[in-house]
Amino acid sequence: MRGLTGTEPSRGSASAQAVITATAVLAALALFAAACGTGGTGARDEGPAHAGSAAKIPAARAPSPNPSQTYDKVDAVALVKADPVVSATVKRDLKPCAGDEYPVDVTYGDLTGGPAEDVVVNVLTCGDAVGVGAYVYRRESGAYKNVFKAEESPVYAEIDRGDLSVTKQVYEKGDPVSSPSGENVITYSWTAGHFVQEDFHHTDYGNAAGSGDATPEPSTAN
């Protein structure tokens, strides 16, 4: 009986030790699992954070149309033909190139600060698209009024950042239509009810490239 009684505490100690050991192992496993959850790969850890941040960024909205960007399309040919300021020569030569296609370029934009978009009309030749007349029309009292004209061919007008830019190609004797010697560019701004010249610059073209059998200089060139 003493032998049996002497062995019981040993078994109890062994059992207690086993429980302590198992508890320690489970705790270690729990700590390891927690460490893996917080210190794992950057992509897995940062993914939810990025998703949460992105959700707070408002979606980009398309810009609403600006009312000033609308314009009333005009019949440029009828406008030019009915304009008493346009020369009789330009009116006479303004004919369709093919079918009902007239050689005119029309640009709409704000040049004069009027109640509607201004209209820039360039009249060209059919064959070589040489500018023979450039005009600007401003809307006044429900009608379009001619506020600028240039008929020194070759000429071309366009809108450049709110200013009127007029290009006049310069031909010397013997220059073909496709190869002028240079060009003049004149910039106008709308001031006190009319266009005022703001800038002028001239460019001489290089003549290194041969002209070949080019078309002769137009008879309307100055």
Side-chain angles (χ1 to χ4, degrees), residues 36-156:
C36 291
T38 58
T41 59
R44 183 171 61 185
D45 292 343
E46 295 178 4
H50 280 284
S53 299
K56 296 178 181 179
I57 300 176
R61 290 181 293 179
S64 57
N66 187 343
S68 65
Q69 293 176 349
T70 61
Y71 64 92
D72 295 326
K73 189 173 182 179
V74 302
D75 184 342
V77 175
L79 194 62
V80 169
K81 285 184 174 292
D83 187 356
V85 176
V86 177
S87 69
T89 301
V90 171
K91 292 180 180 180
R92 183 185 65 244
D93 295 338
L94 182 53
K95 300 176 181 178
C97 297
D100 58 352
E101 296 294 326
Y102 283 84
V104 294
D105 287 346
V106 186
T107 304
Y108 302 87
D110 184 11
L111 283 171
T112 69
E117 297 288 357
D118 301 305
V119 184
V120 179
V121 181
N122 286 283
V123 179
L124 315 171
T125 62
C126 287
D128 300 305
V130 174
V132 296
Y135 313 95
V136 177
Y137 294 92
R138 169 186 165 90
R139 183 91 173 190
E140 293 183 1
S141 302
Y144 284 98
K145 176 184 178 182
N146 188 321
V147 292
F148 178 89
K149 83 166 184 174
E151 296 179 334
E152 300 81 13
S153 181
V155 62
Y156 196 89

